[in-house]
Amino acid sequence: MSPKLHSTETAPSGGREDTILCWLENETVKILQGDNLDDLKRLFRFRLYQDDSLPRYGLRDRPRVTLDTLLILLRLEAGNQEPLPDLDVDQKVQGILGLLPQRPPPPNLVWEWTPQDALYKTDVESIATEIDRASYSQFRQIPFEGWVRYVLGYPEASVEKFLDQHHILCHQLSCFLSNQPEASKKFSQVEEELQNRSPFAHWVVVNSLRQPPHGSILSSSCASFIVDPLRELFVNENRELSEILKELALLSVRFQQSYMREEVICWERFWTDTKFFTLLCNNSPRDIGNHITTVDLNALGRLRPQDVIDISNYIRRLDTRWRNLCLEVELVVTGGALGHTVVDLALVSDLAVAMELN
């Protein structure tokens, strides 16, 4: 059985999990019975259902005219403008399923580092960097959608293989230290170097230093940065799944921003707040632009020449805030939502700044 990240302290009880999974299946059927193509595509992207035959049976119950509409729209999106041929219901359903997002194959995960690589090395920082880099190389191959499914308890080969790989390396390193006990002191220092790096790499070294290795299951704290915030999205069963799927589509962009781009990864709690998106939905571009402009002008008004010369903490905080705002705008635009509003917002904000400075 593949290792799980859930612990008795953090995993919902069986009854609670069953309730959530039952609710997800009911919500899946609701989307399959609806006419929103974007909801349907997001449903197939995240596949928050256990029975892979559920969508097929759900679509077969739809009227022929609805199946025709869905198939025509999907064909058009794929660049196929030919008239729809005469198809029976099963052929239409298969055509729709074939044009919706498909489940990606499991990643090919192999270790780029082995304990023997550290045999004659004395630089513990470089050893820690190599282990961290090798662990991260595997982590970046796990899709965001895989973590979402795993958090809900669905079988997810990509995450399970990733965890298996770290158990394998832990066993290899443990055997290495048993045969090379003099290396334990070196790897104790490596463990210290890894404390603020990949939590999975850190777990490998911590547990391999324990003889015999202690803890056959990856601690839930290793992945709590992503597991806990994603699980919390499903706590409120009064929300509709279509709403959660929209939020997940946005958060997938933030996942890329947070873990796939930066040279130094911050393994702190994954941020699931989408207030900026809600702000754009509920306010006019002019109101939002004027508010952001007012805040920025007030901040700039408190700048002193010495702040710029010294690159003070105040300058650094401003830089962080502006960078975060840029990332939020990118999140909304890349997520395919409200792009026109962001353009209007930029025009209003630029105009307001120009007027204020003149």
PDB file of all heavy atoms in Angstrom, residues 306-330:
ATOM      1  N   GLN A 306      16.706  58.580   1.571  1.00  0.00           N
ATOM      2  CA  GLN A 306      17.617  57.596   2.163  1.00  0.00           C
ATOM      3  C   GLN A 306      17.073  56.171   2.004  1.00  0.00           C
ATOM      4  O   GLN A 306      17.850  55.211   1.920  1.00  0.00           O
ATOM      5  CB  GLN A 306      17.835  57.919   3.651  1.00  0.00           C
ATOM      6  CG  GLN A 306      19.069  57.245   4.233  1.00  0.00           C
ATOM      7  CD  GLN A 306      20.370  57.732   3.568  1.00  0.00           C
ATOM      8  OE1 GLN A 306      20.482  58.904   3.192  1.00  0.00           O
ATOM      9  NE2 GLN A 306      21.311  56.819   3.380  1.00  0.00           N
ATOM     10  N   ASP A 307      15.726  56.024   1.960  1.00  0.00           N
ATOM     11  CA  ASP A 307      15.133  54.698   1.737  1.00  0.00           C
ATOM     12  C   ASP A 307      15.586  54.119   0.406  1.00  0.00           C
ATOM     13  O   ASP A 307      15.898  52.930   0.298  1.00  0.00           O
ATOM     14  CB  ASP A 307      13.600  54.785   1.754  1.00  0.00           C
ATOM     15  CG  ASP A 307      13.050  55.008   3.151  1.00  0.00           C
ATOM     16  OD1 ASP A 307      13.585  54.399   4.089  1.00  0.00           O
ATOM     17  OD2 ASP A 307      12.086  55.783   3.288  1.00  0.00           O
ATOM     18  N   VAL A 308      15.616  54.983  -0.604  1.00  0.00           N
ATOM     19  CA  VAL A 308      16.009  54.535  -1.936  1.00  0.00           C
ATOM     20  C   VAL A 308      17.505  54.244  -1.984  1.00  0.00           C
ATOM     21  O   VAL A 308      17.942  53.239  -2.568  1.00  0.00           O
ATOM     22  CB  VAL A 308      15.645  55.596  -2.995  1.00  0.00           C
ATOM     23  CG1 VAL A 308      16.053  55.124  -4.384  1.00  0.00           C
ATOM     24  CG2 VAL A 308      14.142  55.889  -2.948  1.00  0.00           C
ATOM     25  N   ILE A 309      18.289  55.080  -1.344  1.00  0.00           N
ATOM     26  CA  ILE A 309      19.744  54.903  -1.349  1.00  0.00           C
ATOM     27  C   ILE A 309      20.132  53.604  -0.644  1.00  0.00           C
ATOM     28  O   ILE A 309      20.958  52.829  -1.131  1.00  0.00           O
ATOM     29  CB  ILE A 309      20.438  56.110  -0.679  1.00  0.00           C
ATOM     30  CG1 ILE A 309      20.183  57.385  -1.501  1.00  0.00           C
ATOM     31  CG2 ILE A 309      21.938  55.853  -0.526  1.00  0.00           C
ATOM     32  CD1 ILE A 309      20.635  58.658  -0.817  1.00  0.00           C
ATOM     33  N   ASP A 310      19.498  53.347   0.511  1.00  0.00           N
ATOM     34  CA  ASP A 310      19.863  52.190   1.334  1.00  0.00           C
ATOM     35  C   ASP A 310      19.077  50.930   0.986  1.00  0.00           C
ATOM     36  O   ASP A 310      19.367  49.857   1.517  1.00  0.00           O
ATOM     37  CB  ASP A 310      19.633  52.501   2.817  1.00  0.00           C
ATOM     38  CG  ASP A 310      20.516  53.629   3.320  1.00  0.00           C
ATOM     39  OD1 ASP A 310      21.555  53.896   2.684  1.00  0.00           O
ATOM     40  OD2 ASP A 310      20.156  54.257   4.339  1.00  0.00           O
ATOM     41  N   ILE A 311      18.092  51.075   0.092  1.00  0.00           N
ATOM     42  CA  ILE A 311      17.141  49.976  -0.169  1.00  0.00           C
ATOM     43  C   ILE A 311      16.636  49.458   1.178  1.00  0.00           C
ATOM     44  O   ILE A 311      16.870  48.314   1.588  1.00  0.00           O
ATOM     45  CB  ILE A 311      17.769  48.821  -0.995  1.00  0.00           C
ATOM     46  CG1 ILE A 311      18.498  49.383  -2.215  1.00  0.00           C
ATOM     47  CG2 ILE A 311      16.700  47.829  -1.432  1.00  0.00           C
ATOM     48  CD1 ILE A 311      19.128  48.312  -3.084  1.00  0.00           C
ATOM     49  N   SER A 312      15.925  50.340   1.884  1.00  0.00           N
ATOM     50  CA  SER A 312      15.502  50.079   3.250  1.00  0.00           C
ATOM     51  C   SER A 312      14.441  48.980   3.304  1.00  0.00           C
ATOM     52  O   SER A 312      13.917  48.519   2.286  1.00  0.00           O
ATOM     53  CB  SER A 312      14.915  51.354   3.861  1.00  0.00           C
ATOM     54  OG  SER A 312      13.702  51.686   3.190  1.00  0.00           O
ATOM     55  N   ASN A 313      14.117  48.573   4.538  1.00  0.00           N
ATOM     56  CA  ASN A 313      13.057  47.579   4.731  1.00  0.00           C
ATOM     57  C   ASN A 313      11.726  48.079   4.189  1.00  0.00           C
ATOM     58  O   ASN A 313      10.896  47.289   3.713  1.00  0.00           O
ATOM     59  CB  ASN A 313      12.919  47.231   6.220  1.00  0.00           C
ATOM     60  CG  ASN A 313      14.086  46.410   6.727  1.00  0.00           C
ATOM     61  OD1 ASN A 313      14.732  45.698   5.962  1.00  0.00           O
ATOM     62  ND2 ASN A 313      14.363  46.497   8.019  1.00  0.00           N
ATOM     63  N   TYR A 314      11.512  49.380   4.272  1.00  0.00           N
ATOM     64  CA  TYR A 314      10.272  49.955   3.734  1.00  0.00           C
ATOM     65  C   TYR A 314      10.202  49.756   2.225  1.00  0.00           C
ATOM     66  O   TYR A 314       9.154  49.359   1.685  1.00  0.00           O
ATOM     67  CB  TYR A 314      10.202  51.446   4.075  1.00  0.00           C
ATOM     68  CG  TYR A 314       8.905  52.105   3.637  1.00  0.00           C
ATOM     69  CD1 TYR A 314       7.696  51.720   4.206  1.00  0.00           C
ATOM     70  CD2 TYR A 314       8.907  53.089   2.651  1.00  0.00           C
ATOM     71  CE1 TYR A 314       6.509  52.321   3.805  1.00  0.00           C
ATOM     72  CE2 TYR A 314       7.733  53.687   2.253  1.00  0.00           C
ATOM     73  CZ  TYR A 314       6.530  53.303   2.830  1.00  0.00           C
ATOM     74  OH  TYR A 314       5.354  53.883   2.423  1.00  0.00           O
ATOM     75  N   ILE A 315      11.317  49.982   1.538  1.00  0.00           N
ATOM     76  CA  ILE A 315      11.382  49.748   0.089  1.00  0.00           C
ATOM     77  C   ILE A 315      11.131  48.269  -0.208  1.00  0.00           C
ATOM     78  O   ILE A 315      10.402  47.911  -1.152  1.00  0.00           O
ATOM     79  CB  ILE A 315      12.757  50.163  -0.473  1.00  0.00           C
ATOM     80  CG1 ILE A 315      12.853  51.685  -0.591  1.00  0.00           C
ATOM     81  CG2 ILE A 315      13.015  49.523  -1.833  1.00  0.00           C
ATOM     82  CD1 ILE A 315      12.131  52.266  -1.787  1.00  0.00           C
ATOM     83  N   ARG A 316      11.712  47.403   0.583  1.00  0.00           N
ATOM     84  CA  ARG A 316      11.547  45.961   0.369  1.00  0.00           C
ATOM     85  C   ARG A 316      10.090  45.541   0.549  1.00  0.00           C
ATOM     86  O   ARG A 316       9.568  44.707  -0.189  1.00  0.00           O
ATOM     87  CB  ARG A 316      12.445  45.169   1.321  1.00  0.00           C
ATOM     88  CG  ARG A 316      13.936  45.393   1.069  1.00  0.00           C
ATOM     89  CD  ARG A 316      14.777  44.622   2.068  1.00  0.00           C
ATOM     90  NE  ARG A 316      16.174  45.009   2.014  1.00  0.00           N
ATOM     91  CZ  ARG A 316      17.050  44.547   1.118  1.00  0.00           C
ATOM     92  NH1 ARG A 316      16.658  43.660   0.226  1.00  0.00           N
ATOM     93  NH2 ARG A 316      18.308  44.958   1.146  1.00  0.00           N
ATOM     94  N   ARG A 317       9.412  46.121   1.548  1.00  0.00           N
ATOM     95  CA  ARG A 317       7.994  45.789   1.763  1.00  0.00           C
ATOM     96  C   ARG A 317       7.136  46.264   0.593  1.00  0.00           C
ATOM     97  O   ARG A 317       6.219  45.562   0.155  1.00  0.00           O
ATOM     98  CB  ARG A 317       7.498  46.401   3.075  1.00  0.00           C
ATOM     99  CG  ARG A 317       8.053  45.722   4.319  1.00  0.00           C
ATOM    100  CD  ARG A 317       7.239  46.105   5.554  1.00  0.00           C
ATOM    101  NE  ARG A 317       7.247  47.547   5.805  1.00  0.00           N
ATOM    102  CZ  ARG A 317       8.160  48.167   6.549  1.00  0.00           C
ATOM    103  NH1 ARG A 317       9.157  47.471   7.093  1.00  0.00           N
ATOM    104  NH2 ARG A 317       8.100  49.463   6.745  1.00  0.00           N
ATOM    105  N   LEU A 318       7.432  47.455   0.087  1.00  0.00           N
ATOM    106  CA  LEU A 318       6.711  47.953  -1.085  1.00  0.00           C
ATOM    107  C   LEU A 318       6.929  47.040  -2.288  1.00  0.00           C
ATOM    108  O   LEU A 318       5.995  46.708  -3.022  1.00  0.00           O
ATOM    109  CB  LEU A 318       7.159  49.377  -1.430  1.00  0.00           C
ATOM    110  CG  LEU A 318       6.623  50.524  -0.573  1.00  0.00           C
ATOM    111  CD1 LEU A 318       7.196  51.850  -1.083  1.00  0.00           C
ATOM    112  CD2 LEU A 318       5.110  50.566  -0.616  1.00  0.00           C
ATOM    113  N   ASP A 319       8.181  46.654  -2.473  1.00  0.00           N
ATOM    114  CA  ASP A 319       8.513  45.777  -3.599  1.00  0.00           C
ATOM    115  C   ASP A 319       7.753  44.451  -3.485  1.00  0.00           C
ATOM    116  O   ASP A 319       7.191  43.957  -4.469  1.00  0.00           O
ATOM    117  CB  ASP A 319      10.021  45.520  -3.617  1.00  0.00           C
ATOM    118  CG  ASP A 319      10.425  44.569  -4.731  1.00  0.00           C
ATOM    119  OD1 ASP A 319      10.333  44.969  -5.908  1.00  0.00           O
ATOM    120  OD2 ASP A 319      10.824  43.436  -4.427  1.00  0.00           O
ATOM    121  N   THR A 320       7.702  43.892  -2.277  1.00  0.00           N
ATOM    122  CA  THR A 320       6.982  42.634  -2.068  1.00  0.00           C
ATOM    123  C   THR A 320       5.496  42.806  -2.358  1.00  0.00           C
ATOM    124  O   THR A 320       4.869  41.949  -3.009  1.00  0.00           O
ATOM    125  CB  THR A 320       7.173  42.141  -0.626  1.00  0.00           C
ATOM    126  OG1 THR A 320       8.564  41.906  -0.392  1.00  0.00           O
ATOM    127  CG2 THR A 320       6.391  40.863  -0.378  1.00  0.00           C
ATOM    128  N   ARG A 321       4.927  43.917  -1.892  1.00  0.00           N
ATOM    129  CA  ARG A 321       3.499  44.143  -2.115  1.00  0.00           C
ATOM    130  C   ARG A 321       3.187  44.289  -3.593  1.00  0.00           C
ATOM    131  O   ARG A 321       2.208  43.718  -4.100  1.00  0.00           O
ATOM    132  CB  ARG A 321       3.046  45.399  -1.365  1.00  0.00           C
ATOM    133  CG  ARG A 321       1.535  45.509  -1.240  1.00  0.00           C
ATOM    134  CD  ARG A 321       1.129  46.741  -0.477  1.00  0.00           C
ATOM    135  NE  ARG A 321       1.190  47.917  -1.329  1.00  0.00           N
ATOM    136  CZ  ARG A 321       1.150  49.160  -0.894  1.00  0.00           C
ATOM    137  NH1 ARG A 321       1.098  49.400   0.400  1.00  0.00           N
ATOM    138  NH2 ARG A 321       1.185  50.182  -1.727  1.00  0.00           N
ATOM    139  N   TRP A 322       4.011  45.025  -4.324  1.00  0.00           N
ATOM    140  CA  TRP A 322       3.766  45.208  -5.758  1.00  0.00           C
ATOM    141  C   TRP A 322       3.962  43.901  -6.529  1.00  0.00           C
ATOM    142  O   TRP A 322       3.237  43.615  -7.480  1.00  0.00           O
ATOM    143  CB  TRP A 322       4.680  46.313  -6.299  1.00  0.00           C
ATOM    144  CG  TRP A 322       4.271  47.689  -5.860  1.00  0.00           C
ATOM    145  CD1 TRP A 322       3.000  48.110  -5.572  1.00  0.00           C
ATOM    146  CD2 TRP A 322       5.121  48.811  -5.646  1.00  0.00           C
ATOM    147  NE1 TRP A 322       3.002  49.420  -5.184  1.00  0.00           N
ATOM    148  CE2 TRP A 322       4.296  49.892  -5.221  1.00  0.00           C
ATOM    149  CE3 TRP A 322       6.490  49.024  -5.746  1.00  0.00           C
ATOM    150  CZ2 TRP A 322       4.796  51.144  -4.927  1.00  0.00           C
ATOM    151  CZ3 TRP A 322       6.998  50.282  -5.451  1.00  0.00           C
ATOM    152  CH2 TRP A 322       6.166  51.334  -5.051  1.00  0.00           C
ATOM    153  N   ARG A 323       4.976  43.141  -6.139  1.00  0.00           N
ATOM    154  CA  ARG A 323       5.180  41.846  -6.793  1.00  0.00           C
ATOM    155  C   ARG A 323       3.990  40.930  -6.567  1.00  0.00           C
ATOM    156  O   ARG A 323       3.537  40.236  -7.478  1.00  0.00           O
ATOM    157  CB  ARG A 323       6.463  41.191  -6.269  1.00  0.00           C
ATOM    158  CG  ARG A 323       7.747  41.809  -6.786  1.00  0.00           C
ATOM    159  CD  ARG A 323       8.962  41.166  -6.151  1.00  0.00           C
ATOM    160  NE  ARG A 323      10.195  41.799  -6.585  1.00  0.00           N
ATOM    161  CZ  ARG A 323      10.864  41.478  -7.690  1.00  0.00           C
ATOM    162  NH1 ARG A 323      10.402  40.493  -8.454  1.00  0.00           N
ATOM    163  NH2 ARG A 323      11.964  42.097  -8.025  1.00  0.00           N
ATOM    164  N   ASN A 324       3.474  40.909  -5.345  1.00  0.00           N
ATOM    165  CA  ASN A 324       2.315  40.073  -5.045  1.00  0.00           C
ATOM    166  C   ASN A 324       1.093  40.514  -5.842  1.00  0.00           C
ATOM    167  O   ASN A 324       0.310  39.678  -6.309  1.00  0.00           O
ATOM    168  CB  ASN A 324       2.000  40.113  -3.546  1.00  0.00           C
ATOM    169  CG  ASN A 324       3.025  39.350  -2.725  1.00  0.00           C
ATOM    170  OD1 ASN A 324       3.725  38.486  -3.239  1.00  0.00           O
ATOM    171  ND2 ASN A 324       3.116  39.673  -1.445  1.00  0.00           N
ATOM    172  N   LEU A 325       0.938  41.834  -6.006  1.00  0.00           N
ATOM    173  CA  LEU A 325      -0.178  42.332  -6.800  1.00  0.00           C
ATOM    174  C   LEU A 325      -0.040  41.906  -8.257  1.00  0.00           C
ATOM    175  O   LEU A 325      -1.017  41.500  -8.896  1.00  0.00           O
ATOM    176  CB  LEU A 325      -0.253  43.860  -6.697  1.00  0.00           C
ATOM    177  CG  LEU A 325      -1.419  44.523  -7.454  1.00  0.00           C
ATOM    178  CD1 LEU A 325      -2.762  43.989  -6.967  1.00  0.00           C
ATOM    179  CD2 LEU A 325      -1.354  46.042  -7.310  1.00  0.00           C
ATOM    180  N   CYS A 326       1.190  41.968  -8.782  1.00  0.00           N
ATOM    181  CA  CYS A 326       1.429  41.504 -10.156  1.00  0.00           C
ATOM    182  C   CYS A 326       1.073  40.027 -10.314  1.00  0.00           C
ATOM    183  O   CYS A 326       0.473  39.619 -11.308  1.00  0.00           O
ATOM    184  CB  CYS A 326       2.891  41.730 -10.547  1.00  0.00           C
ATOM    185  SG  CYS A 326       3.345  43.454 -10.808  1.00  0.00           S
ATOM    186  N   LEU A 327       1.445  39.231  -9.321  1.00  0.00           N
ATOM    187  CA  LEU A 327       1.134  37.799  -9.365  1.00  0.00           C
ATOM    188  C   LEU A 327      -0.369  37.561  -9.323  1.00  0.00           C
ATOM    189  O   LEU A 327      -0.891  36.664  -9.998  1.00  0.00           O
ATOM    190  CB  LEU A 327       1.811  37.076  -8.201  1.00  0.00           C
ATOM    191  CG  LEU A 327       3.334  36.954  -8.270  1.00  0.00           C
ATOM    192  CD1 LEU A 327       3.872  36.331  -6.983  1.00  0.00           C
ATOM    193  CD2 LEU A 327       3.765  36.124  -9.473  1.00  0.00           C
ATOM    194  N   GLU A 328      -1.087  38.379  -8.530  1.00  0.00           N
ATOM    195  CA  GLU A 328      -2.538  38.220  -8.451  1.00  0.00           C
ATOM    196  C   GLU A 328      -3.201  38.575  -9.773  1.00  0.00           C
ATOM    197  O   GLU A 328      -4.148  37.911 -10.212  1.00  0.00           O
ATOM    198  CB  GLU A 328      -3.097  39.094  -7.330  1.00  0.00           C
ATOM    199  CG  GLU A 328      -2.762  38.606  -5.937  1.00  0.00           C
ATOM    200  CD  GLU A 328      -3.274  37.201  -5.712  1.00  0.00           C
ATOM    201  OE1 GLU A 328      -4.488  37.022  -5.549  1.00  0.00           O
ATOM    202  OE2 GLU A 328      -2.454  36.263  -5.712  1.00  0.00           O
ATOM    203  N   VAL A 329      -2.712  39.625 -10.427  1.00  0.00           N
ATOM    204  CA  VAL A 329      -3.256  39.990 -11.737  1.00  0.00           C
ATOM    205  C   VAL A 329      -2.981  38.878 -12.740  1.00  0.00           C
ATOM    206  O   VAL A 329      -3.851  38.484 -13.520  1.00  0.00           O
ATOM    207  CB  VAL A 329      -2.649  41.323 -12.225  1.00  0.00           C
ATOM    208  CG1 VAL A 329      -3.041  41.592 -13.682  1.00  0.00           C
ATOM    209  CG2 VAL A 329      -3.101  42.470 -11.334  1.00  0.00           C
ATOM    210  N   GLU A 330      -1.773  38.338 -12.701  1.00  0.00           N
ATOM    211  CA  GLU A 330      -1.433  37.234 -13.605  1.00  0.00           C
ATOM    212  C   GLU A 330      -2.313  36.029 -13.344  1.00  0.00           C
ATOM    213  O   GLU A 330      -2.766  35.350 -14.269  1.00  0.00           O
ATOM    214  CB  GLU A 330       0.032  36.842 -13.428  1.00  0.00           C
ATOM    215  CG  GLU A 330       0.444  35.711 -14.363  1.00  0.00           C
ATOM    216  CD  GLU A 330       1.784  35.101 -14.009  1.00  0.00           C
ATOM    217  OE1 GLU A 330       2.338  35.448 -12.954  1.00  0.00           O
ATOM    218  OE2 GLU A 330       2.254  34.257 -14.780  1.00  0.00           O
TER     219      GLU A 330
END
